[in-house]
């Protein structure tokens, strides 16, 4: 096992002192790795063609309290994630200079020699110069998203021009991934009735050069199936990764529900309420966590059985790894992994 902290970067605090605690497996040592970073889009294409379950994890560089993420890849063995996706916090990161000092990008640069990384970049208050600075860091992949906030002075109001400019600057040396919304842009006041407009925007992003789609939070497998089929009918042929969140508490569930605007289906909500009544408390994290573990497994099985060409799943971890590991253990027991 190899614990390696990021060295200090000579810059202004607080981001210069960012030091995550990461434990790598023996096979992830620098000596055993191909130091040429893999692009996530082509990697997902390759994995999807194998028609076998694979997964990635999304993490934050720090916890909500500001503590660096603690990540031990040994816990994911015997099957490691195919890549690590790193959240961009718009309000926290937008004015950090130079951009390389952003916590998530420091972590991405550190991880990249050992595992493919997908750093996020939002349009929030993003200038053309700052996009250039980001591209000059030479990441091989990026998840470009609009974000939930818009500032009047930002250079990019939508994602499409970010994709176009990135490919103009970097050609095919960068993989640009984008978000897909099975239930519409719920956090922006949209919804299922906006589906046609959402699909039009998504098609334009793919035509601009996006080579992979990550679905955002959705608690029902059926809308995901419909979304994937609608993508194919619209001529969108790039691979689609399915995003899943395995909550570890009611507090986590309710916070994400308020933030995303995505609502749990009524029957699932009733089951959760029944669990709350049976336990006498909504704070029984073990019972709640198991509820969401079971739901994630059912969702994965439903989508695999639907045979819609989606074999890849991304876990939105919020830096809570035990529920995700529980899902992976059960999938191994079932022979899916």
């Amino acid at each position: 096992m190899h614990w390696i902290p990021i060295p200090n970067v000579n810059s202004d605090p607080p981001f210069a002192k960012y030091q995550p605690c990461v434990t790598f497996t023996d096979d992830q040592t620098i000596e055993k790795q191909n130091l040429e970073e893999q692009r996530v889009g082509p990697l997902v294409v390759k994995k999807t063609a194998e028609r076998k379950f694979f997964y990635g994890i999304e993490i934050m560089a720090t916890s909500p309290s500001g503590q660096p993420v603690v990540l031990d890849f040994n816990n994911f063995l015997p099957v490691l994630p195919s890549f690590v996706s790193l959240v961009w916090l718009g309000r926290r990161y937008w004015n950090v200079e130079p951009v390389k000092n952003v916590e998530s990008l420091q972590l991405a640069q550190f991880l990249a020699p050992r595992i493919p990384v997908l750093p996020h970049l939002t349009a929030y208050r993003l200038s053309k110069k700052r996009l250039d600075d980001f591209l000059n860091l030479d990441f091989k992949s990026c998840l470009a998203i609009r974000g939930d906030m818009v500032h009047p002075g930002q250079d990019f109001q939508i994602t499409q021009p970010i994709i176009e400019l990135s490919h103009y600057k970097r050609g095919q040396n960068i993989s640009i991934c984008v978000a897909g919304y099975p239930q519409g842009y719920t956090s922006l006041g949209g919804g299922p009735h906006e589906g046609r407009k959402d699909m039009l925007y998504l098609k334009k992003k793919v035509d601009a050069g996006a080579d992979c789609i990550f679905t955002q939070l959705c608690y029902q497998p059926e809308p995901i199936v419909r979304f994937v089929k609608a993508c194919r009918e619209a001529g969108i042929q790039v691979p689609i990764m399915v995003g899943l969140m395995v909550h570890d508490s009611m507090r986590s569930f309710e916070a994400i529900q308020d933030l995303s605007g995505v609502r749990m289906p009524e029957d699932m909500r009733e089951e959760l309420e029944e669990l709350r009544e049976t336990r006498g408390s909504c704070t029984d994290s073990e019972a709640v966590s198991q509820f969401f573990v079971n739901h994630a497994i059912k969702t994965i099985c439903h989508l695999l059985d639907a045979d819609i060409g989606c074999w890849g799943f991304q876990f939105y971890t919020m830096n809570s790894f035990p529920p995700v590991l529980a899902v992976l253990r059960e999938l191994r027991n079932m022979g899916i992994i």
Side-chain angles (χ1 to χ4, degrees), residues 59-78:
I59 66 174
M60 299 182 295
T62 58
S63 67
S65 64
Q67 296 300 310
V69 62
V70 177
L71 177 62
D72 185 347
F73 283 104
N74 290 280
N75 292 331
F76 293 90
L77 292 174

Side-chain angles (χ1 to χ4, degrees), residues 95-300:
N95 62 345
V96 175
E97 292 290 351
V99 70
K100 69 178 182 179
N101 287 346
V102 169
E103 295 165 327
S104 65
L105 300 186
Q106 289 189 58
L107 179 54
Q109 287 183 316
F110 179 64
L111 294 174
R114 301 167 178 86
I115 189 168
V117 294
L118 183 67
H120 299 191
L121 184 67
T122 73
Y124 177 69
R125 304 190 78 157
L126 181 68
S127 66
K128 293 179 180 178
K129 178 186 180 303
R130 190 162 176 80
L131 176 58
D132 280 346
D133 292 343
F134 171 83
L135 294 172
N136 287 337
L137 296 177
D138 202 33
F139 287 111
K140 303 303 181 187
S141 306
C142 169
L143 177 69
I145 51 178
R146 171 181 164 169
D148 296 333
M149 301 175 293
V150 177
H151 187 273
Q154 64 192 45
D155 287 351
F156 304 95
Q157 297 298 314
I158 57 176
T159 307
Q160 180 184 339
I162 297 177
I163 301 168
E164 293 170 338
L165 189 55
S166 296
H167 280 305
Y168 176 78
K169 297 282 188 178
R170 294 277 305 278
Q172 296 305 308
N173 293 320
I174 186 169
S175 170
I176 306 291
C177 303
V178 294
Y181 298 84
Q183 292 186 277
Y185 291 93
T186 50
S187 62
L188 300 177
H193 63 284
E194 298 287 345
R196 291 183 179 179
K197 185 184 297 183
D198 296 344
M199 192 59 63
L200 176 63
Y201 292 150
L202 183 58
K203 180 67 162 57
K204 288 183 177 180
K205 289 189 285 188
V206 172
D207 289 345
D211 57 4
C212 185
I213 296 168
F214 286 77
T215 68
Q216 301 304 287
L217 185 60
C218 180
Y219 289 111
Q220 299 168 280
E222 293 84 359
I224 300 173
V225 172
R226 291 195 295 269
F227 171 79
V228 173
K229 290 182 176 179
C231 285
R232 302 316 183 207
E233 291 172 359
I236 298 172
Q237 299 302 325
V238 299
I240 298 174
M241 295 281 298
V242 176
L244 299 171
M245 181 168 285
V246 193
H247 298 286
D248 61 359
S249 66
M250 282 296 295
R251 177 180 297 180
S252 165
F253 162 67
E254 291 173 345
I256 294 300
Q257 181 175 252
D258 292 343
L259 177 66
S260 67
V262 175
R263 293 294 180 261
M264 181 183 289
E266 190 62 30
D267 58 341
M268 186 179 173
R269 182 76 200 202
E270 289 176 359
E271 186 178 348
L272 188 58
E273 290 294 340
E274 184 178 342
L275 175 65
R276 179 198 302 229
E277 294 175 5
T278 302
R279 295 283 173 165
S281 170
C282 66
T283 58
D284 189 331
S285 59
E286 183 177 348
V288 171
S289 178
Q290 189 59 51
F291 173 88
F292 284 106
V293 165
N294 294 339
H295 179 260
I297 293 167
K298 291 177 183 177
T299 299
I300 291 170

Side-chain angles (χ1 to χ4, degrees), residues 52-56 76-79 242 244 246 290 292-305 311-315 323-337:
K52 295 179 181 179
F53 173 92
F54 68 99
Y55 73 100
F76 293 90
L77 292 174
V79 181
V242 176
L244 299 171
V246 193
Q290 189 59 51
F292 284 106
V293 165
N294 294 339
H295 179 260
I297 293 167
K298 291 177 183 177
T299 299
I300 291 170
C301 291
H302 184 112
L303 295 172
L304 293 178
D305 291 342
W311 297 88
F313 296 82
Q314 174 171 256
F315 293 100
V324 174
L325 297 174
V327 172
L328 296 175
R329 283 195 299 269
E330 183 58 28
L331 292 176
R332 286 198 295 274
N333 292 337
M334 298 170 66
I336 292 176
I337 297 182

